[in-house]
Amino acid sequence: MTEPPRSPAKKLREVMEGPFGVRSLSLTGLFVLAFFYTLYFARAFFLPIVLALLLSFLLSPVVRALKRLRVPYGLGAGLVIFAVLGSLGVGIYELADPAYAWAEQAPRQLRRLERKLAGVKKPVETMSKATQQVEKMAQVSPSGQVSPKVEVQAESLGKRMFSQATGLMAGGAVTVVLLFFLLASGDSFLPRLIRGLPGLENKLGAVAIARQIEREISAYLVTITVINLALGLAVWGVMAWIGIPNPVLWGVLAFAANYIPYLGTFLMIAVLGMVGFLTFNDTAHALLAPGAFVALHLVESYLVTPLAVGHRMTLNPVVIFLGLTLWGWLWGIPGALLSVPILVVFKIICDHSAPLRQVGELLGD
């Protein structure tokens, strides 16, 4: 018995109600928009949590190693956090003097750089004067009267700095406390979380997959941190060999900037180029600093990182750029720093989930 032909209205209704139909796509789109909207407006809440989770993946191998030496999880977590905060405090204290010296000499050094770049400055000044003239013409109304300017009184700089410092300290405290609890829970937090999820079958298998994901994320974050540390040490040594003052400062900056793809590289090239022109009088010596950094970065990007991380952990450059733009817009500089680790975590989860495996392949290089 043949099935009667379906009417166009019935076909349209089936398409809209299907698993990949218009209704499903619409609901997914609304969910994604609501998700990012929540991340943007509640960034003061979510940013410390995400940072604590990533740091727990990074530091959990150290706590487990201490556990094998019969150090309890709580004590090991406290020792690791104390060591990290102590190293950070010592680093800030050691770098405060050279950073303050550069900030104090910045006006005089910038005037020197301005004199050296006088030939480039003239066309820019001409363009700026033309732009100002166009703005004056645009401010004149048809009757010949100049349109009045409306000035909005902004918040004072002191209040803004105090507000940002208060928010930074509160976020840092939440991150440290949450990180301690995550590390001190050891291997018990993840099984409890998965067993507490309703409607999840084969929970033992889910725990095993989650353990594998956690190990891969930890291995990736540790590897990238070691690579960035090696790059920072190499930049420190090369800058000292070239004769750039305060080479430790530029090594630390290279270590931190390498977490931000593309933008971090351009930032280091611009900074080292400015320092080179301020340190040396001839152009050849001035270009040694940015040229050496570019050479080190190429070795790290195309030789060291692919060998250490492997092809399965690499991301598509387009995905990296879009992720950097998205997380930088959502959470600013911290979001840009965390963009690649967040993408890698998402890719690892997709690779171990059958429904999301194609998404993981799309994110890969």
Side-chain angles (χ1 to χ4, degrees), residues 60 66 88 112 172 266 269 327 329 335:
S60 57
L66 292 175
L88 185 62
R112 283 183 54 204
F266 292 140
I269 293 174
W327 291 103
W329 172 72

PDB file of all heavy atoms in Angstrom, residues 60 66 88 112 172 266 269 327 329 335:
ATOM      1  N   SER A  60      47.547  20.778  38.754  1.00  0.00           N
ATOM      2  CA  SER A  60      47.153  19.491  39.340  1.00  0.00           C
ATOM      3  C   SER A  60      48.218  18.410  39.202  1.00  0.00           C
ATOM      4  O   SER A  60      48.358  17.573  40.120  1.00  0.00           O
ATOM      5  CB  SER A  60      45.828  19.019  38.733  1.00  0.00           C
ATOM      6  OG  SER A  60      45.928  18.913  37.322  1.00  0.00           O
ATOM      7  N   LEU A  66      53.122  15.483  44.521  1.00  0.00           N
ATOM      8  CA  LEU A  66      53.308  15.608  45.961  1.00  0.00           C
ATOM      9  C   LEU A  66      52.515  14.544  46.723  1.00  0.00           C
ATOM     10  O   LEU A  66      52.964  14.055  47.768  1.00  0.00           O
ATOM     11  CB  LEU A  66      52.891  17.007  46.426  1.00  0.00           C
ATOM     12  CG  LEU A  66      53.773  18.173  45.950  1.00  0.00           C
ATOM     13  CD1 LEU A  66      53.168  19.500  46.381  1.00  0.00           C
ATOM     14  CD2 LEU A  66      55.190  18.023  46.503  1.00  0.00           C
ATOM     15  N   LEU A  88      55.414  34.912  41.927  1.00  0.00           N
ATOM     16  CA  LEU A  88      54.827  36.080  41.279  1.00  0.00           C
ATOM     17  C   LEU A  88      55.183  37.357  42.022  1.00  0.00           C
ATOM     18  O   LEU A  88      55.520  38.382  41.398  1.00  0.00           O
ATOM     19  CB  LEU A  88      53.301  35.906  41.210  1.00  0.00           C
ATOM     20  CG  LEU A  88      52.518  36.980  40.458  1.00  0.00           C
ATOM     21  CD1 LEU A  88      52.937  37.017  38.993  1.00  0.00           C
ATOM     22  CD2 LEU A  88      51.017  36.727  40.572  1.00  0.00           C
ATOM     23  N   ARG A 112      63.233  61.665  21.907  1.00  0.00           N
ATOM     24  CA  ARG A 112      64.350  61.206  21.084  1.00  0.00           C
ATOM     25  C   ARG A 112      63.855  60.396  19.900  1.00  0.00           C
ATOM     26  O   ARG A 112      64.309  60.565  18.768  1.00  0.00           O
ATOM     27  CB  ARG A 112      65.301  60.349  21.923  1.00  0.00           C
ATOM     28  CG  ARG A 112      66.213  61.120  22.856  1.00  0.00           C
ATOM     29  CD  ARG A 112      67.149  60.169  23.561  1.00  0.00           C
ATOM     30  NE  ARG A 112      67.867  59.348  22.590  1.00  0.00           N
ATOM     31  CZ  ARG A 112      68.394  58.158  22.862  1.00  0.00           C
ATOM     32  NH1 ARG A 112      68.242  57.636  24.078  1.00  0.00           N
ATOM     33  NH2 ARG A 112      69.042  57.487  21.940  1.00  0.00           N
ATOM     34  N   GLY A 172      40.952  38.344  42.020  1.00  0.00           N
ATOM     35  CA  GLY A 172      42.120  37.543  42.365  1.00  0.00           C
ATOM     36  C   GLY A 172      41.902  36.701  43.610  1.00  0.00           C
ATOM     37  O   GLY A 172      42.313  35.535  43.676  1.00  0.00           O
ATOM     38  N   PHE A 266      53.010  40.895  17.559  1.00  0.00           N
ATOM     39  CA  PHE A 266      53.107  42.275  17.056  1.00  0.00           C
ATOM     40  C   PHE A 266      53.491  43.246  18.173  1.00  0.00           C
ATOM     41  O   PHE A 266      54.252  44.196  17.946  1.00  0.00           O
ATOM     42  CB  PHE A 266      51.785  42.692  16.411  1.00  0.00           C
ATOM     43  CG  PHE A 266      51.471  41.957  15.140  1.00  0.00           C
ATOM     44  CD1 PHE A 266      50.183  41.538  14.857  1.00  0.00           C
ATOM     45  CD2 PHE A 266      52.472  41.665  14.230  1.00  0.00           C
ATOM     46  CE1 PHE A 266      49.894  40.848  13.695  1.00  0.00           C
ATOM     47  CE2 PHE A 266      52.205  40.974  13.061  1.00  0.00           C
ATOM     48  CZ  PHE A 266      50.906  40.563  12.787  1.00  0.00           C
ATOM     49  N   ILE A 269      57.264  42.879  18.787  1.00  0.00           N
ATOM     50  CA  ILE A 269      58.047  43.469  17.693  1.00  0.00           C
ATOM     51  C   ILE A 269      58.050  44.992  17.800  1.00  0.00           C
ATOM     52  O   ILE A 269      59.091  45.647  17.644  1.00  0.00           O
ATOM     53  CB  ILE A 269      57.491  43.007  16.328  1.00  0.00           C
ATOM     54  CG1 ILE A 269      57.722  41.507  16.148  1.00  0.00           C
ATOM     55  CG2 ILE A 269      58.135  43.776  15.190  1.00  0.00           C
ATOM     56  CD1 ILE A 269      57.071  40.937  14.905  1.00  0.00           C
ATOM     57  N   TRP A 327      36.846  36.473  22.579  1.00  0.00           N
ATOM     58  CA  TRP A 327      37.128  36.511  24.010  1.00  0.00           C
ATOM     59  C   TRP A 327      37.773  37.821  24.428  1.00  0.00           C
ATOM     60  O   TRP A 327      37.598  38.259  25.570  1.00  0.00           O
ATOM     61  CB  TRP A 327      37.997  35.321  24.396  1.00  0.00           C
ATOM     62  CG  TRP A 327      37.265  34.030  24.302  1.00  0.00           C
ATOM     63  CD1 TRP A 327      37.371  33.091  23.319  1.00  0.00           C
ATOM     64  CD2 TRP A 327      36.253  33.546  25.197  1.00  0.00           C
ATOM     65  NE1 TRP A 327      36.506  32.051  23.549  1.00  0.00           N
ATOM     66  CE2 TRP A 327      35.815  32.305  24.698  1.00  0.00           C
ATOM     67  CE3 TRP A 327      35.698  34.040  26.369  1.00  0.00           C
ATOM     68  CZ2 TRP A 327      34.839  31.556  25.341  1.00  0.00           C
ATOM     69  CZ3 TRP A 327      34.726  33.298  27.011  1.00  0.00           C
ATOM     70  CH2 TRP A 327      34.300  32.075  26.503  1.00  0.00           C
ATOM     71  N   TRP A 329      36.874  40.668  23.128  1.00  0.00           N
ATOM     72  CA  TRP A 329      35.725  41.572  23.237  1.00  0.00           C
ATOM     73  C   TRP A 329      34.915  41.272  24.493  1.00  0.00           C
ATOM     74  O   TRP A 329      34.428  42.200  25.156  1.00  0.00           O
ATOM     75  CB  TRP A 329      34.830  41.418  22.007  1.00  0.00           C
ATOM     76  CG  TRP A 329      33.531  42.154  22.127  1.00  0.00           C
ATOM     77  CD1 TRP A 329      33.327  43.498  22.072  1.00  0.00           C
ATOM     78  CD2 TRP A 329      32.234  41.561  22.329  1.00  0.00           C
ATOM     79  NE1 TRP A 329      31.982  43.787  22.233  1.00  0.00           N
ATOM     80  CE2 TRP A 329      31.293  42.628  22.394  1.00  0.00           C
ATOM     81  CE3 TRP A 329      31.782  40.255  22.458  1.00  0.00           C
ATOM     82  CZ2 TRP A 329      29.934  42.409  22.578  1.00  0.00           C
ATOM     83  CZ3 TRP A 329      30.430  40.035  22.648  1.00  0.00           C
ATOM     84  CH2 TRP A 329      29.527  41.100  22.705  1.00  0.00           C
ATOM     85  N   GLY A 335      40.631  37.936  28.661  1.00  0.00           N
ATOM     86  CA  GLY A 335      39.997  37.056  27.683  1.00  0.00           C
ATOM     87  C   GLY A 335      40.914  36.715  26.526  1.00  0.00           C
ATOM     88  O   GLY A 335      40.922  35.576  26.047  1.00  0.00           O
TER      89      GLY A 335
END
